[in-house]
């Protein structure tokens, strides 16, 4: 059977605006709940004279998952005809931010929930900032509890206008605003008769409409060079360039380019470790290649194909970082930077904004990045280095910062500043 496509989405919103209800609805309406679960929770509520809540359903599921140990309690799964979804719903947690900002886990899209009756809250804005910080480009806003405002188009339009303006201000272009009632199921899995004035997609149509990341194998070729082994064959000095392919495929005869040195050659042979040479190799394989011409390259360079999209080469980049260092990240101090197999010294040159992960407070005036802060910054290396943008390549788009032999921060690269590729 073909492997099912998986997509991670984040759901955020002010407490009580209906996140759990949206998730419960999505699980129920896509038949993703264990058999009898919904009836069991409804029956439990009836017996205990409590009104049914989707949040109870989620609690019951999480208890069960927690007993299964392996499943992270903050995750929920549901399926559509198109793919499997993993919902991550713990944006307030430090662990969540850490995983997302260090690139350990990535979400392709975000749903932002706003209560139609209460309107936009400070937290709605904070969550918008987080989504922006995580570099998530696909965002849909669910205007929930439309039943409580009589499915009034004007209420919806006002929230849409106000929140669009706010989101645009923080570089988010929401793909859609969807009027829903999570509790009653309006516009979740099927179009609601209560909103004849709304012509956009349902929540499920919206999710299936988001584009997913490419699989490693389908992406352009990347191999961070781990080492170069020299050996002598028939009196000739030869070299094997070794590394693990992080994405794409490579064949004998392919023209390759090494960055940041911009040196070019052609693949003469592909050697495996303890396996016979082969004509082709792909993502996740550890290989060694010999080249047709003798070029001098260094460990830490990225090997790519000449005819594919290249990484950026620059000594400056804009990134989001999650700081866990004992001492704060400060400007102009020398740190060590690791991207793939590359090592360089690095300096923080500019702080654009900081969010304190525990409080989710946004602070644009702080002059240093403290433990558990998430910050958007510009870093500079003494010489140009090669890297990718996180939304294109995961492994060569994330980095680690070392302070005094300790890992002090992890981050994702958002943009190359002063890219060199075009100037050559
Ligand atoms: P969360 O804190 O964001 O996860 O919010 P919940 O999903 O727990 O919802 C908070 C409350 O709002 C609960 O009592 C829900 O039943 C209620 N609620 C959620 N969605 C709707 C809706 O569409 N209509 C109405 N009337 N109530 C809703």
């Amino acid at each position: 059977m073909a492997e099912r496509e998986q997509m991670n989405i984040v759901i955020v919103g002010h407490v009580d605006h209906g996140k759990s209800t949206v998730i419960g609805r999505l699980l129920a309406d896509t038949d993703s709940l264990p058999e009898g679960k919904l009836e069991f929770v409804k029956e439990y509520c009836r017996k205990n004279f409590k009104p049914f809540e989707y949040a109870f359903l989620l609690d019951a599921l999480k208890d069960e998952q927690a007993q299964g140990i392996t499943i992270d309690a903050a995750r929920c799964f549901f399926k559509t005809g198109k793919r499997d979804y993993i919902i991550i719903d713990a944006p307030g947690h430090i662990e969540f931010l850490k995983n997302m900002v260090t690139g350990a886990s990535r979400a392709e899209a975000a749903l932002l929930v706003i209560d139609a009756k209460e309107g936009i809250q400070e937290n709605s804005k904070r969550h918008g900032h987080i989504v922006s910080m995580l570099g998530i480009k696909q965002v849909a806003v669910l205007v929930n509890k439309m039943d409580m405002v009589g499915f009034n188009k004007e209420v919806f339009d006002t929230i849409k206008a106000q929140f669009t303006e706010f989101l645009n201000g923080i570089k988010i272009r929401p793909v859609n605003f969807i009027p829903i009632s999570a509790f009653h199921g309006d516009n979740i899995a099927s179009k609601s008769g209560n909103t004849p004035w709304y012509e956009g997609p349902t929540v499920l149509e919206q999710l299936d409409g988001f584009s997913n990341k490419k699989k490693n194998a389908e992406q352009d070729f990347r191999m961070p060079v781990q080492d170069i082994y020299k050996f002598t064959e028939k009196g000739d000095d030869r070299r094997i360039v070794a590394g693990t392919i992080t994405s794409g495929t490579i064949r004998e005869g392919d023209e390759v380019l090494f960055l940041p040195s911009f040196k070019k050659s052609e693949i003469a042979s592909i050697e495996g470790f303890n396996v016979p040479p082969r004509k082709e190799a792909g993502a996740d394989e550890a290989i060694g290649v010999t080249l047709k011409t003798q070029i001098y390259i260094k460990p830490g360079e990225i090997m790519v194909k000449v005819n594919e999209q290249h990484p950026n080469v620059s000594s400056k980049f804009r990134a989001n970082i999650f700081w866990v260092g004992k001492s704060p990240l400060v400007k102009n101090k020398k740190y060590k930077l690791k991207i793939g197999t590359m090592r360089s010294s690095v300096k923080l040159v500019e702080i654009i904004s900081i969010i304190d992960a525990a409080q989710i407070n946004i602070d644009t005036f702080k002059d240093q990045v403290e433990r558990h802060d998430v910050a958007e910054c510009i870093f500079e290396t003494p010489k140009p280095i090669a890297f990718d943008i996180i939304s294109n390549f995961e492994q060569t788009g994330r980095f680690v910062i070392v302070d005094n032999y300790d890992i002090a921060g992890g981050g994702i690269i958002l943009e190359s500043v002063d890219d060199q590729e075009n100037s050559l």
Side-chain angles (χ1 to χ4, degrees), residues 99-110:
N99 287 343
M100 298 290 279
V101 180
T102 55
S105 73
R106 295 282 308 152
E108 264 62 59

Side-chain angles (χ1 to χ4, degrees), residues 227-260:
D227 227 327
I228 291 135
Y229 301 106
K230 293 181 194 119
F231 67 102
T232 309
E233 193 184 67
K234 297 174 196 145
D236 276 349
D237 266 352
R238 309 248 352 213
R239 281 149 197 268
I240 288 192
V241 181
T244 300
I245 301 173
T246 52
S247 62
T249 53
I250 189 92
R251 285 187 70 81
E252 227 179 74
D254 278 345
E255 271 194 285
V256 288
L257 174 71
F258 293 85
L259 294 171

Side-chain angles (χ1 to χ4, degrees), residues 64-226:
E64 223 164 73
Q65 290 178 348
Q67 283 165 18
I69 298 167
T70 46
I71 301 173
D72 176 345
R75 289 166 170 236
C76 281
F77 304 85
F78 69 93
K79 295 173 193 302
T80 66
K82 184 165 179 176
R83 57 193 166 210
D84 295 353
Y85 289 90
I86 298 173
I87 300 191
I88 310 171
D89 78 338
H93 295 190
I94 289 178
E95 258 331 274
F96 162 87
L97 276 176
K98 187 170 149 191
N99 287 343
M100 298 290 279
V101 180
T102 55
S105 73
R106 295 282 308 152
E108 264 62 59
L111 299 177
L112 261 154
V113 182
I114 294 182
D115 183 323
K117 191 148 179 252
E118 281 203 1
I120 302 162
Q121 302 290 307
E122 204 45 43
N123 254 341
S124 320
K125 293 185 178 174
R126 287 181 182 160
H127 289 138
H129 274 286
I130 290 177
V131 168
S132 166
M133 278 263 180
L134 298 177
I136 300 174
K137 294 275 178 339
Q138 309 183 91
V139 178
V141 181
L142 312 183
V143 181
N144 189 29
K145 306 196 191 180
M146 285 299 291
D147 56 302
M148 293 181 79
V149 295
F151 292 96
N152 186 319
K153 180 176 184 299
E154 271 157 38
V155 173
F156 174 78
D157 284 343
T158 306
I159 292 178
K160 181 173 171 178
Q162 288 172 350
F163 209 49
T164 301
E165 194 185 329
F166 165 76
L167 290 176
N168 287 348
I170 56 169
K171 295 182 239 151
I172 295 180
R173 309 246 171 282
V175 292
N176 259 315
F177 279 72
I178 310 178
I180 63 166
S181 166
F183 195 83
H184 298 287
D186 296 81
N187 292 329
I188 302 278
S190 54
K191 283 225 177 337
S192 166
N194 292 320
T195 52
W197 43 266
Y198 173 71
E199 287 173 351
T202 62
V203 176
L204 275 186
E205 284 167 351
Q206 179 62 67
L207 289 170
D208 278 351
F210 283 134
S211 56
N212 205 358
K213 67 169 182 216
K214 283 191 193 162
K215 293 203 179 94
N216 283 346
E218 292 161 2
Q219 284 186 316
D220 287 347
F221 176 77
R222 296 283 186 268
M223 186 183 97
V225 176
Q226 178 81 45

